[in-house]
Amino acid sequence: MGQSKEEFLEQFGGDYGYPDAPRGIDELRAADFKRLEGMVYLDHAGATLYSEEQMADVAKDLMSNVYGNPRILNQSDSSMATSDLVTSARHQVLKYFNASPRDYKCIFTSGATAALKIVGECFPWSRDSCYMYTMENHNSVLGIREYALSKGATVSAVDVEEVVDPAKNHGSDSLFKISKHTNQRRGDDVLLHSDQNGSWTAISGNNSNLFAFPSECNFSGHKFNLSLVKLIKEGKLVGTSQQQHTASLATYVRKKMLDLKHSNEKNVCIIYGQQASKVKNLKMGPTITFNLKREDGTWFGYREVEKLASLSGIHLRTGCFCNPGACAKYLGLSHSDLVSNFEAGHVCWDDNDVINGKPTGAVRISFGYMSTYEDAEEFLKFLHSSFVSKAVGLNNGHMVNTGTLNLVDDWGQQVISDIRLKSITIYPVKSCQGFSVQGWPLTTGGLKYDREWLLQGSGGEILTQKKVPELSSIRTLIDLELGKLYLESPKRKDKLQISVLENLTHLSAEVDVYGQRYEVQTYDEKVNSWFSDAIGRPCTFMRCSNSKYRSCTINGSRDRLCRDTRSKLSFVNEGQLLLVSEESISDLNSRLSSSNGNGKQRLFVDAMRFRPNIVVSGSTPYNEDNWKRLNIGEAYFTSMGGCNRCQMINLYQSSGQVIKSKEPLATLASYRRQKGKILFGVLLNYEDGMDGKGTVVERWLKVGQEVYPSAE
């Protein structure tokens, strides 16, 4: 797909890999970044990486010297040693930025946000001041608005477009077209305007004004022309990038991304910043922000890209990167779009990556000084294998469904089913081990006591195996006759017994579990202490007593919420029960085996890796995808569709240790992906079990029962 490294070096060899430095990139990477072996780190705009040599030097320095509190009045050797280091660091920073110590002071803060906060707090605002900022700015820059407005200053957001006009400028300086948005101010003074040609005409007057723009946009990677500064104040200013190494990698990857085409010749990648510019050879930093399109023109959500990248060992960033102005600008989101997204419940960290056919964020990769050509190639291969459509007849990573449903004869009579219930598993505590039974009663919430308890962290977060792998070592069992829940942990010598019949209404509370409100019952300190010891962190054990809403089918839609006062929903994520088939498991294992050649140990997963409630056998692989309803014994169920799998199925126990791998999710992603979801197994809701008089009838599931699915 990509050109060879030799061809790449022929084009970029003068810039790539530090050819004039004592150590080249390959030697640098091998010596100082051994921890990156097997992964591709492309999030340097978010946080670049320290080298192992740096850490060794810092550790050696700290172990060889004594550094005290650098107070001015303290003249001890340890205090002076710290003061000297701080003074030296300040001097180096000013020197790097060509900033004279006569005009500038270097102040160390906890980060850029804290530094900008100081600017907002200390700037001499007045009613004659103007704070102007470009739309492409980080939230920390936007926060300065509040300080300006509180002092009566004018606040204005602008779009700055660089316009090169050699006929008028003799090919030298640039013109800047300014598009001003609505002023915010407690007054009517206008301190910014453009002439009739749209050219810049600087802020006038002798007032203290502040203009904020990024040297490089953290969303698009667009580098602003620093001659803008001259229009505000004469002086020198530099950006933070003097190396050409990262630019060569970014230029190469941008070109290759733009060359990617689907089988119908439609573009795969939409890159923000460079494509929209009217300025030829616009300077771009080592940051590439993009979204991906399917061959039918619909968008791949950025969460899907992020999930698949993680499976491939690629580290990148998604969302709006705390730059809402640039995000709205490049994604073409109008004010009404933003309001609509907000009303739909979208927040920057959720999974709503496409709303009303438009992306709500993007994907960003960024190169650092230790990034290599091999990193770039691995990323490009990932895009090609995961998102580029193949010729007709190939799978292209879309949903494979080899099953057919034929359980009705020519006269519409149901035929004898060969599908049977193979196993039943109950998971009383969310994310803890389950236990198998030969038979179990059903209630309006599904299987009785299934996922009726969970653990909440000290910060109010819900604890799962993804966050706390130790949960997988807690064994559970319920004795229906005794009405007891038994729990065991390798971290506790004593077994915990809890009555499932005891009423704890005097300890009731409400919690939010993944956006759904639950009334819960909590337990005393003895119970909480047992679980805290078992998982190695403080936690609270709680039981579901009622849920406000439940997921259901309305007019054929499986993704809406409705009220159902008759039903009780426990701490399940979506449907009440999860079903998988042995045949689908077998098909997956055959794919895992074939993809794990080269003499490597054969991969194998059993059904329990997916934490199903019921396993069926006698069907064909993925036949369950077609089922709309089914009955097992006298119980009837509605299919809520496929179960979207996450990294949790990649966790398994070996010799008492929780191991995380890339499988089986990586293989499932190659053939069970549909509209951003990796599906395996189906979710079921129990149809209440009421007789014609509205009385609840207790029904049981039993191993060996026949399963009758229906496609209607």
Side-chain angles (χ1 to χ4, degrees):
M1 179 199 71
Q3 65 194 70
S4 67
K5 188 172 185 179
E6 290 73 19
E7 293 173 313
F8 169 81
L9 291 175
E10 184 177 342
Q11 183 177 359
F12 297 102
D15 297 326
Y16 173 79
Y18 317 110
D20 299 324
R23 291 193 300 174
I25 182 62
D26 293 335
E27 183 181 354
L28 175 73
R29 181 72 171 255
D32 290 342
F33 296 92
K34 303 181 187 71
R35 64 189 186 278
L36 288 179
E37 184 176 355
M39 69 174 67
V40 177
Y41 187 84
L42 297 176
D43 189 25
H44 295 274
T48 196
L49 304 176
Y50 51 83
S51 71
E52 284 139 37
E53 183 180 36
Q54 284 176 308
M55 297 305 294
D57 289 345
V58 169
K60 181 179 178 181
D61 183 45
L62 292 175
M63 290 187 292
S64 303
N65 297 284
V66 177
Y67 295 111
N69 188 337
R71 294 186 63 188
I72 296 176
L73 298 178
N74 195 330
Q75 300 296 313
S76 69
D77 289 345
S78 59
S79 293
M80 293 297 293
T82 307
S83 296
D84 290 344
L85 276 181
V86 173
T87 300
S88 175
R90 286 195 171 107
H91 176 74
Q92 291 182 55
V93 171
L94 292 174
K95 182 179 179 181
Y96 182 85
F97 284 96
N98 297 324
S100 170
R102 291 180 305 221
D103 301 320
Y104 295 93
K105 297 293 184 184
C106 176
I107 301 173
F108 293 118
T109 66
S110 61
T113 298
L116 290 163
K117 184 173 184 286
I118 290 177
V119 172
E121 291 172 338
C122 299
F123 194 82
W125 304 108
S126 71
R127 289 192 59 80
D128 295 322
S129 298
C130 174
Y131 175 49
M132 182 172 65
Y133 60 92
T134 59
M135 289 294 292
E136 298 176 59
N137 257 311
H138 193 275
N139 274 333
S140 302
V141 175
L142 307 188
I144 296 176
R145 293 177 303 192
E146 299 305 314
Y147 296 101
L149 290 170
S150 68
K151 299 295 184 179
T154 299
V155 171
S156 182
V158 298
D159 276 319
V160 179
E161 182 181 354
E162 185 176 353
V163 182
V164 177
D165 190 347
K168 294 183 179 180
N169 286 329
H170 307 289
S172 56
D173 295 330
S174 296
L175 290 175
F176 298 96
K177 182 179 179 181
I178 306 298
S179 301
K180 186 177 65 172
H181 295 258
T182 304
N183 280 353
Q184 298 180 59
R185 193 197 169 160
R186 299 165 182 93
D188 297 321
D189 297 294
V190 178
L191 300 176
L192 168 70
H193 66 277
S194 57
D195 62 24
Q196 59 183 343
N197 296 319
S199 299
W200 173 269
T201 60
I203 297 175
S204 61
N206 297 318
N207 310 304
S208 295
N209 304 304
L210 185 61
F211 175 46
F213 72 97
S215 173
E216 178 182 324
C217 176
N218 77 314
F219 183 94
S220 66
H222 167 213
K223 285 190 171 183
F224 280 73
N225 191 320
L226 296 180
S227 64
L228 276 171
V229 178
K230 295 180 181 179
L231 300 175
I232 307 298
K233 179 179 180 181
E234 289 295 327
K236 294 182 178 179
L237 184 68
V238 301
T240 57
S241 60
Q242 299 178 352
Q243 302 163 330
Q244 296 302 313
H245 171 77
T246 54
S248 67
L249 289 169
T251 300
Y252 170 69
V253 171
R254 279 192 194 96
K255 182 181 184 303
K256 291 297 180 182
M257 289 176 68
L258 292 175
D259 288 342
L260 287 177
K261 307 282 186 183
H262 288 297
S263 58
N264 60 359
E265 293 301 311
K266 297 288 186 180
N267 288 330
V268 176
C269 303
I270 303 299
I271 297 179
Y272 301 110
Q274 191 175 40
Q275 285 178 309
S277 174
K278 299 177 182 178
V279 179
K280 189 176 181 181
N281 299 322
L282 181 71
K283 288 185 177 180
M284 302 294 292
T287 297
I288 304 173
T289 300
F290 61 95
N291 271 312
L292 303 174
K293 279 193 167 184
R294 298 183 175 89
E295 57 185 337
D296 63 0
T298 59
W299 296 96
F300 287 103
Y302 58 79
R303 285 295 188 211
E304 178 178 3
V305 180
E306 184 178 42
K307 179 189 286 188
L308 296 175
S310 178
L311 292 174
S312 299
I314 296 175
H315 300 252
L316 44 73
R317 193 161 291 263
T318 62
C320 278
F321 325 119
C322 298
N323 195 329
C327 189
K329 172 183 175 179
Y330 287 112
L331 299 182
L333 298 174
S334 65
H335 178 72
S336 61
D337 289 330
L338 297 175
V339 172
S340 176
N341 291 350
F342 178 78
E343 290 176 345
H346 172 57
V347 290
C348 63
W349 57 85
D350 64 18
D351 291 331
N352 294 319
D353 48 15
V354 179
I355 297 179
N356 297 325
K358 289 185 177 181
T360 60
V363 184
R364 186 183 73 187
I365 63 170
S366 48
F367 296 96
Y369 77 92
M370 78 294 295
S371 298
T372 64
Y373 165 82
E374 287 73 20
D375 291 334
E377 275 300 305
E378 284 300 316
F379 172 72
L380 291 170
K381 289 177 183 176
F382 159 70
L383 289 184
H384 191 270
S385 63
S386 300
F387 302 100
V388 179
S389 68
K390 312 299 190 298
V392 176
L394 298 181
N395 171 243
N396 183 33
H398 291 301
M399 188 78 161
V400 168
N401 183 328
T402 61
T404 57
L405 189 65
N406 185 21
L407 292 174
V408 179
D409 61 21
D410 294 337
W411 294 272
Q413 298 297 313
Q414 191 173 44
V415 299
I416 297 175
S417 174
D418 292 327
I419 307 173
R420 293 186 178 273
L421 183 55
K422 187 66 178 293
S423 69
I424 305 170
T425 306
I426 314 299
Y427 304 90
V429 184
K430 191 174 181 68
S431 275
C432 293
Q433 290 185 24
F435 62 95
S436 297
V437 294
Q438 290 297 304
W440 199 258
L442 290 159
T443 68
T444 55
L447 288 165
K448 194 170 187 176
Y449 302 128
D450 185 58
R451 284 162 290 191
E452 198 158 306
W453 290 265
L454 58 68
L455 289 164
Q456 184 182 55
S458 57
E461 72 279 14
I462 304 304
L463 302 183
T464 66
Q465 278 192 33
K466 285 185 287 186
K467 297 177 181 177
V468 188
E470 292 81 3
L471 286 169
S472 64
S473 66
I474 297 178
R475 296 182 293 275
T476 64
L477 178 68
I478 289 179
D479 188 315
L480 291 175
E481 292 185 1
L482 297 178
K484 296 282 188 181
L485 166 62
Y486 298 93
L487 301 116
E488 298 181 44
S489 166
K491 301 288 183 66
R492 294 280 307 206
K493 294 182 179 179
D494 57 323
K495 295 182 181 180
L496 184 63
Q497 297 184 25
I498 295 176
S499 172
V500 299
L501 305 176
E502 183 180 357
N503 190 340
L504 299 172
T505 53
H506 62 290
L507 296 172
S508 62
E510 273 202 8
V511 297
D512 184 274
V513 181
Y514 305 126
Q516 188 156 292
R517 297 296 297 174
Y518 289 86
E519 292 178 4
V520 299
Q521 299 171 355
T522 57
Y523 290 81
D524 58 26
E525 185 57 32
K526 178 182 177 182
V527 172
N528 293 333
S529 177
W530 190 94
F531 279 102
S532 298
D533 291 342
I535 64 174
R537 65 172 67 190
C539 61
T540 301
F541 191 55
M542 51 184 57
R543 182 180 187 180
C544 175
S545 59
N546 187 33
S547 63
K548 301 289 185 181
Y549 300 92
R550 60 162 292 180
S551 179
C552 67
T553 302
I554 304 179
N555 298 328
S557 173
R558 293 173 172 170
D559 299 319
R560 297 179 58 185
L561 294 174
C562 72
R563 284 186 188 274
D564 189 336
T565 55
R566 299 179 305 168
S567 295
K568 171 184 172 184
L569 194 67
S570 58
F571 294 127
V572 296
N573 290 346
E574 297 178 82
Q576 294 174 339
L577 296 87
L578 173 63
L579 175 149
V580 301
S581 77
E582 284 192 333
E583 289 71 27
S584 299
I585 295 289
S586 296
D587 179 81
L588 170 60
N589 279 317
S590 67
R591 294 171 188 268
L592 287 169
S593 179
S594 62
S595 65
N596 195 46
N598 301 322
K600 295 183 180 179
Q601 183 178 358
R602 182 177 183 271
L603 293 175
F604 177 83
V605 296
D606 63 13
M608 292 302 106
R609 180 75 74 91
F610 300 93
R611 297 177 65 83
N613 293 110
I614 54 180
V615 179
V616 299
S617 64
S619 183
T620 56
Y622 315 109
N623 193 3
E624 59 272 18
D625 294 342
N626 302 304
W627 301 350
K628 298 297 187 296
R629 299 180 72 241
L630 67 155
N631 69 287
I632 306 174
E634 297 181 347
Y636 287 82
F637 302 87
T638 300
S639 172
M640 306 302 292
C643 180
N644 186 21
R645 311 314 308 211
C646 65
Q647 297 271 7
M648 189 166 167
I649 64 174
N650 289 343
L651 301 175
Y652 67 96
Q653 285 199 349
S654 178
S655 303
Q657 299 293 318
V658 178
I659 309 297
K660 182 179 180 179
S661 70
K662 296 180 181 179
E663 297 292 358
L665 194 59
T667 295
L668 284 173
S670 69
Y671 75 105
R672 292 287 298 173
R673 211 168 94 229
Q674 187 178 58
K675 296 293 184 182
K677 297 181 178 181
I678 303 173
L679 303 177
F680 192 84
V682 293
L683 299 164
L684 304 177
N685 272 2
Y686 176 49
E687 296 182 1
D688 290 346
M690 291 189 176
D691 61 16
K693 300 179 181 179
T695 303
V696 176
V697 178
E698 184 177 82
R699 297 190 171 95
W700 283 61
L701 289 183
K702 296 180 180 179
V703 171
Q705 286 176 323
E706 293 181 340
V707 178
Y708 293 94
S710 168
E712 298 178 356

